[in-house]
Amino acid sequence: MPETRPELELPFSLLLPVYAGDRADYLRRAFVSSVDEQTLRPDDVVLVQDGPLPDALRETCEELAAGSPVPVNLVRLEHNVGLGPALDHGLEACANDVVARMDADDISRPRRFELQLPLIADGADIVG
């Protein structure tokens, strides 16, 4: 279960774009590893649907949003605009100034944010 958020840590959003070429099983694993399994969870998730998605992928997005332990904002783009513009739309929807990025086929280690956030709080602009 997630730990209590120490004073020095900043609220942060998780930005995760998905498009028609992504796999639903990979997206599910990426989401679970970066939200459910984290020792320090994001305050919110922005899941950008970059254009129309196959039914299985769209349903997975909806299931993940409905079952998430943190609020999820589904940003649905009518047409596929590509990664850069999709991220721009997602950034506009993020509730926090600090944004963690995740791709639909990435997997996060359980302590990812617990280890990264103190570095940002100490002044790092980018942490990878």
Side-chain angles (χ1 to χ4, degrees), residues 58-70:
R58 182 185 42 75
E59 290 167 7
T60 298
C61 289
E62 292 168 1
E63 289 170 14
L64 292 170
S68 175
V70 301

Side-chain angles (χ1 to χ4, degrees), residues 7-94:
E7 269 309 301
L8 70 104
E9 293 188 12
L10 306 167
F12 71 102
S13 299
L14 176 67
L15 176 55
L16 200 168
V18 62
Y19 82 109
D22 287 322
R23 289 179 41 172
D25 57 334
Y26 285 8
L27 171 62
R28 183 176 304 281
R29 183 68 190 112
F31 188 94
V32 168
S33 77
S34 59
V35 177
D36 298 87
E37 296 175 351
Q38 286 299 306
T39 56
L40 180 63
R41 288 181 176 153
D43 294 277
D44 69 301
V45 176
V46 175
L47 188 57
V48 180
Q49 297 178 7
D50 186 11
L53 302 179
D55 289 343
L57 194 55
R58 182 185 42 75
E59 290 167 7
T60 298
C61 289
E62 292 168 1
E63 289 170 14
L64 292 170
S68 175
V70 301
V72 176
N73 181 358
L74 288 175
V75 175
R76 295 176 178 99
L77 304 179
E78 187 175 339
H79 303 285
N80 177 267
V81 296
L83 181 59
L87 290 174
D88 288 341
H89 285 281
L91 282 172
E92 290 175 14
C94 288

Side-chain angles (χ1 to χ4, degrees), residues 89-101:
H89 285 281
L91 282 172
E92 290 175 14
C94 288
N96 300 289
D97 291 334
V98 176
V99 177
R101 265 279 291 121

